[in-house]
Structures are given as structure tokens and as C-alpha cells.
Amino acid sequence: MSAANAPVSRLQPVLGLLSLPLRLRKLGGGPMIAAIVLIIIVIAAALAPLYIPHDPLAINAIYRLKGPSEMFLLGTDAYGRDLFSRVVMGGRVSLFIGVGAAVVSVSLGLAIGLVSGFFRVADSIIMRIMDSLMAIPSILLAIALVALNGPSLWSVIAAITLPEIPRVVRLVRSVVLTVREEPYVEAAVALGSSMPKILWQHLMPNTLAPLTVQGTYICASAILTEAILSFLGAGVSTEIPTWGNIMAEGRLYFQIKPSLIFWPGLMLSLCILSINLLGDTARDLLDPRLRKREA
Amino acid sequence: MLGYILKRLLAVVPVITFVAIFVFLLLRLTPGDPAAILAGDAATPAQLEKIRTSLGLNDPLLVQFGTWIGQLFRGDLGISLISNIPVSDMVGQRIWPTINIALMTIILSVLLAVPMGVIAAWKHRTWADYAVMSFSVLGFSVPVFVIGYIFIQVFSIELRWLPVQGYTPPTEDFGKFLSKAILPCLTLATIYVALIARMTRASMLEVLGEDYVRTARAKGVSETLVLFRHALRNAAVPILTIIGTGFALLISGVVVTESVFNIPGIGRLTVDAILARDYPVIQAMILLTSAIYVFINLMIDVAYSIIDPRIRY
């Protein structure tokens, strides 16, 4: 068994991840505030159905484009729907898209990257495909995918995920390429460990730290991309409110009621700002060398 | 050097080939029938069949692909299903606004971002550094179109300094071109500046710690010269790389900005084509933008050896 030398290098990244919350405490104000803002947004979004004052889909022609009042905290949109309820519920969907895209692209990218990094034959083919996927401007690829597959939530997540996968694959592959020469991997190969076991137990843990960082960035950029897709008319249909499609609808009435773009835009920006700040912090904490690799 | 360029050019071939296959399959394998879109809702099955035959949609996939590639090599990008105009003409009409805006943005961004990054690194951990870093994190976090609308609201509606939307070719009236292009360029530049300034700072921080920078300072070279001649030149490779990879961001920004400011460029052309499922235009535009992206990054790779003589191929 390779247990004699493996555990240290294998467990280190895992331990690093686990102790992240502890180390976060020692940080300065910025990341701390970011963490608090993000937690508030996530809780507010998660509990939204419990406290929203109106049905976010309830159309009410009498109350079109009203200003803030006791009845409608932030006023109403062009269909008389309550903006506050829509923004809160929209946050739920936007966050789901962000986390969903991050989880899916990281898992798929991890699987492809491990194989690509370890098997030379597969590598050249996989990397050519990944290079060409990266060459296609991601936003065009995403609109095309949504336009062709219909504006469902899943098709939007898939459209945002696909262009991100090559970037994850490259990252995982670069880690695998450096680690596969380590003595403990050689030892595992020599001892006849099965290939899936080597990939999973010896190589995969090394990718966890950089993937966590990459995952946060993907999450942030997925939320942004969703907004851009909605804006261009290729987003989730408006029966499911997202920060993006609330703004996209609001832009027609921008000159009359800028708050239709302002509030969802503010929430979205705050959310992305926090995620990015935490991602930067995690990157610096987990592995200072990453800064060079990212470049 | 020439050998290197040739080798890199050859490496582009498989990438572009895969992009072509991918774009082709993407449109063929998804639900939705271009013939049905062309014919409209009232079409009879016989009419649909006729359109399919005339477009070659009934041929086997491989034959369709071969026909398309053959046309591409003859410089024929196909004909729009919707306007019946050759795609190459459509691109020719609409590429100039995009090129003008994109060029202006790149120049503006580099002129702003590089000094910002240099100052941030030079004044590391001072308010100037924090200001630049805050701007760069913020620039990543606000959607491009929100920035565009904020600019329109402030500069066009409240202050009435600039026109709200539209585009005038510079050849027609340069003053008007500038007044209409400033806001789109600033909007586009925000994210690009954020990206370049961040990379410039990181790269400069590394270089400023080097021995030769200390030596240059010790022998009394002026600080400006140290920063821009000794340090920046050595920090240039990652900065150039990010300008190249950031080009992808610029493309997505162009698409959005053209919609916000109502500019008749190829970004809008592409989005409109995708939403209308104008297959020949979609194929051509995705292939074209990918090719531009790949070639720009190729040119940047070649530029490394000019900027940094340590890199030899």
C-alpha cells in the first residue's frame, strides 16, 4: 500500500480546505464583510418564500410601474408585479444558476482533466477539442445553445457551463501533469493500484484547492453571464424571475423607472463582488503559487 | 523566427477545424428546423420539403459539411436565410462600427490600465493601490449593460453632454462619431481596464522585487525610467497575454454594448441571427469571431519574442 508516503501530500489540500473558515477569521475587513454580505444574500434568497409579501408572478394592471409604497416596498414593474418579491425570488434562481454551473463545470472538468492529464493518448485529442471550445467566444456559444434548445432553466445552466469546462480541464490537467511525476504516484503505479484508484485517491485531492478557487470564479461569472443572456433575449423565460431577466425587462422602462434595473443590478453586483473577493482570498490562502499559474 | 510563426500557424489549423465541426454539429443536432422557420407557420409539408431540398438539408450530414467547407474555401460564407443577402456582404457592411469601437476601446484601455497597474504596484499597499484594486474588482462585478445604462443616465439624460444612442461613421462626421462612440468605449473599457490593470499590478510587483531594479535605483536612474524602462518591459509578457485572452471578454462586451447603444455592428448582427436562427449567418459569425480570437492570440505569441528578447524560438 502506498499509505506510507501518500497521506501527507494527499491530505494536505483537504486539510487546507477544512481549516479555511478558521483562517478566514484572521483576515482583514474586506473578505469578512464579503462573507457576511454573501451569507445574508444566501439566507435571504433561501428563505424567500417564507416572507415575500406578494406573489412574484401576480400581474396587477392597476399598479403598473408604481413607486415604493407601504404595499410595494420597492414599487412595481410594468405588469404591476411587486419588485421586491421579484428581486428576492430572482436571487434564488440566479444563485442556483451560479452554483449549478460551478458544480457541473468543475465536476465534468475534473473528470476530463484527470483522464487527459494521465493518459497521453487521450490527452492530445481532448486538448485539441478543449482548445477549439475555448476559441469560440463563450457568450456567442451560450446564446446559440439557449436559442437552439429553448429558454429553460436547465438549458441556460448547460449553456453557461459548456464554455467553462475547458478552463477547468486545463487547470486540472496542469496539476496532474506536475503531480504524476511525484514518487508516491510512481509507487502507487509500481504497486499495481488500479487506474481509477490512482486518479481518484492520489491525483484528485491535489486539484481540490485550485478547483475551489476556480469554482468561486465560475459561480460569479455564471451569474453575470445569465444576466447578459437575459439581456440579449436568450435567458430564462420571465415566469422564473432571475436578476438578469428582471433587468432585461426593466430596460424598456429604464427612463421612467430606473429602479427596475438598479435594485436587481445592485444585488447582483454585491453578490458577485463578495464571491470574487472571497475567491481571491481563498486563492491567496490556499496556494500563493496559484497567482502565477492563473496568469 | 519564421519557422516558429509557420509552426504556430499550422497549429491553428486543427483548432479552427474543430470549431467548424463543432459549429456545424451544434446547428444540425439541435431541435428546430430552418426550413420551418423560412416557410413560416402556414407552410404545407410539400413546401417544407421543397425548401429542404433547395437548402440541401436532406443530404447526409457529411455531404452537407463537405459542401459548406468547400464554399468556405471559395470565400463564400453562405446566404442569409432571412434577408437573402450574402453573409460576406452583411459582414462587410457591419464590421466597421465594431472595428472602430473595439480599436478605440483597446487603445483607451491600455493607456488607462497600464499606468494604473504600474502606479498600484509602485505605491503598493497605499490608498492608490487600494483604489486601483477596488476599481478592478468592481469592474468585474457589474454587468456591462448596467454600466452602459448608468453612463447613459448620467452623461446623456442628466447632464445632456452626449447623445443617448446611435452611431455615425467617422468618415462622415468625425466629431459626431466621437460624441457617440465615447460612452460605448468607456462602457466596454471598464472590464478590460479592470483586467489589464490587475495583471499589470501583479506582474510589476513581481518584477519590482528583482535585483536589477534595486541596482538601477542604486545607480541613480530616475524612478520613472526604472518603472517604465526596467520594470515594465520585463513585466510585459503576462500583460500582453491578458490583453489577448481578454479579447474574448471584449467580444462578449461588444455584443452587449452594441445592443445597449444601438450600434449596427457585427455583435448585434450575430445576436439577431442567433435569435432568428439564421443558420448560415450563425455558422459564419461564430467561425469568424473564433478565427479572429485565435489569430490575435497567435500574433501576441509572436510579439513576445520582439518585446522580450529572452524568449527565443
Side-chain angles (χ1 to χ4, degrees):
Chain A
M1 214 12 237
S2 54
N5 50 11
V8 178
S9 35
R10 212 168 71 198
L11 284 178
Q12 236 162 15
V14 183
L15 286 177
L17 278 185
L18 288 179
S19 65
L20 191 61
L22 288 176
R23 279 187 278 168
L24 263 181
R25 275 202 328 208
K26 293 184 207 143
L27 286 170
M32 200 65 201
I33 296 171
I36 294 171
V37 168
L38 195 63
I39 289 169
I40 293 176
I41 291 179
V42 169
I43 292 177
L47 300 180
L50 298 178
Y51 66 85
I52 47 169
H54 297 275
D55 177 357
L57 302 179
I59 293 175
N60 196 335
I62 307 168
Y63 296 108
R64 288 185 78 228
L65 296 169
K66 291 281 181 244
S69 62
E70 256 175 61
M71 195 173 164
F72 300 106
L73 208 54
L74 302 176
T76 60
D77 71 2
Y79 298 94
R81 294 176 294 198
D82 179 38
L83 183 58
F84 175 75
S85 306
R86 281 185 74 74
V87 169
V88 177
M89 285 303 276
R92 247 166 105 86
V93 184
S94 285
L95 284 170
F96 179 74
I97 292 174
V99 174
V103 170
V104 178
S105 55
V106 165
S107 342
L108 286 177
L110 175 64
I112 302 173
L114 284 175
V115 171
S116 182
F118 207 77
F119 301 103
R120 280 171 203 268
V121 187
D123 188 44
S124 54
I125 301 168
I126 292 177
M127 289 325 284
R128 288 298 79 71
I129 296 175
M130 293 301 143
D131 282 349
S132 46
L133 259 183
M134 281 224 281
I136 303 175
S138 55
I139 199 77
L140 294 184
L141 182 54
I143 336 170
L145 286 170
V146 177
L148 296 169
N149 288 314
S152 74
L153 186 58
W154 294 110
S155 112
V156 168
I157 293 180
I160 295 172
T161 304
L162 187 64
E164 297 285 357
I165 292 176
R167 282 162 251 274
V168 180
V169 171
R170 282 199 160 265
L171 182 66
V172 172
R173 178 176 173 269
S174 73
V175 175
V176 172
L177 284 182
T178 46
V179 175
R180 57 182 273 179
E181 310 299 332
E182 297 275 329
Y184 67 85
V185 177
E186 249 172 71
V189 174
L191 284 165
S193 292
S194 70
M195 207 39 84
K197 194 174 171 189
I198 294 174
L199 287 180
W200 190 250
Q201 283 200 350
H202 302 283
L203 295 176
M204 191 277 287
N206 291 288
T207 63
L208 282 181
L211 278 184
T212 314
V213 177
Q214 187 77 2
T216 60
Y217 292 139
I218 293 176
C219 179
S221 93
I223 296 175
L224 260 180
T225 309
E226 185 277 321
I228 290 174
L229 286 178
S230 287
F231 175 82
L232 293 172
V236 184
S237 59
T238 52
E239 290 102 72
I240 307 171
T242 66
W243 283 331
N245 64 26
I246 299 171
M247 288 191 275
E249 275 193 323
R251 78 182 166 121
L252 294 174
Y253 310 94
F254 175 66
Q255 303 206 7
I256 316 169
K257 198 170 188 296
S259 65
L260 287 177
I261 288 186
F262 177 76
W263 285 111
L266 179 73
M267 293 313 292
L268 182 144
S269 304
L270 267 179
C271 185
I272 294 175
L273 194 65
S274 311
I275 298 176
N276 278 338
L277 267 176
L278 288 177
D280 284 354
T281 314
R283 177 187 59 184
D284 295 347
L285 283 179
L286 287 169
D287 186 359
R289 282 169 309 165
L290 258 181
R291 254 174 288 181
K292 283 186 190 168
R293 203 179 291 155
E294 286 267 302
Chain B
M1 184 72 193
L2 200 69
Y4 171 73
I5 296 176
L6 277 177
K7 219 168 79 188
R8 285 301 317 264
L9 264 173
L10 278 180
V12 165
V13 175
V15 172
I16 296 291
T17 312
F18 270 111
V19 172
I21 296 174
F22 188 80
V23 173
F24 179 80
L25 288 180
L26 180 76
L27 296 183
R28 303 301 139 130
L29 298 183
T30 44
D33 180 358
I37 297 160
L38 259 183
D41 292 335
T44 61
Q47 282 172 311
L48 281 182
E49 198 47 45
K50 212 176 134 197
I51 296 173
R52 275 198 208 109
T53 322
S54 70
L55 289 179
L57 291 174
N58 285 336
D59 298 336
L61 274 183
L62 220 60
V63 176
Q64 288 187 37
F65 186 69
T67 320
W68 179 51
I69 295 292
Q71 284 175 347
L72 282 182
F73 273 111
R74 275 176 269 128
D76 177 4
L77 294 177
I79 292 169
S80 161
L81 292 184
I82 290 172
S83 61
N84 266 324
I85 302 173
V87 178
S88 44
D89 289 359
M90 292 171 91
V91 174
Q93 280 166 17
R94 297 181 67 167
I95 201 161
W96 286 108
T98 306
I99 290 183
N100 288 333
I101 301 268
L103 265 183
M104 246 176 92
T105 305
I106 293 175
I107 295 168
L108 185 76
S109 305
V110 172
L111 286 182
L112 281 173
V114 172
M116 272 167 72
V118 169
I119 290 170
W122 182 42
K123 298 283 177 199
H124 188 39
R125 289 179 204 281
T126 64
W127 65 268
D129 183 17
Y130 294 129
V132 170
M133 282 313 278
S134 309
F135 172 83
S136 108
V137 180
L138 204 67
F140 277 119
S141 307
V142 186
V144 187
F145 59 91
V146 172
I147 298 172
Y149 279 117
I150 293 174
F151 282 155
I152 293 181
Q153 179 74 18
V154 173
F155 295 106
S156 305
I157 297 174
E158 304 283 338
L159 298 171
R160 293 178 182 281
W161 286 354
L162 297 163
V164 178
Q165 287 174 323
Y167 178 80
T168 310
T171 43
E172 201 174 284
D173 184 339
F174 194 72
K176 263 196 182 149
F177 163 75
L178 270 188
S179 72
K180 284 181 181 168
I182 287 176
L183 288 186
C185 284
L186 281 178
T187 307
L188 261 178
T190 314
I191 190 165
Y192 215 38
V193 168
L195 189 74
I196 301 172
R198 196 184 161 103
M199 185 50 67
T200 309
R201 173 182 175 274
S203 183
M204 282 292 284
L205 275 179
E206 237 166 74
V207 171
L208 283 177
E210 299 278 343
D211 289 340
Y212 59 81
V213 171
R214 188 157 24 104
T215 311
R217 280 183 176 144
K219 73 177 186 190
V221 176
S222 79
E223 196 64 18
T224 327
L225 268 184
V226 170
L227 283 178
F228 286 93
R229 191 139 154 211
H230 295 252
L232 186 59
R233 220 178 148 191
N234 283 290
V237 168
I239 301 174
L240 255 182
T241 312
I242 206 82
I243 293 176
T245 49
F247 198 77
L249 267 180
L250 195 66
I251 292 176
S252 89
V254 163
V255 170
V256 176
T257 314
E258 287 183 356
S259 289
V260 173
F261 290 94
N262 223 347
I263 296 165
I266 53 168
R268 276 264 305 286
L269 175 69
T270 314
V271 175
D272 291 346
I274 293 176
L275 296 181
R277 300 203 178 189
D278 194 343
Y279 289 60
V281 185
I282 305 179
Q283 281 179 344
M285 293 316 297
I286 294 188
L287 197 60
L288 203 67
T289 38
S290 307
I292 294 173
Y293 177 70
V294 168
F295 276 102
I296 284 191
N297 281 293
L298 173 71
M299 271 156 55
I300 284 178
D301 268 6
V302 174
Y304 288 158
S305 57
I306 299 165
I307 289 187
D308 194 336
R310 283 171 304 183
I311 298 176
R312 279 276 166 259
Y313 303 101

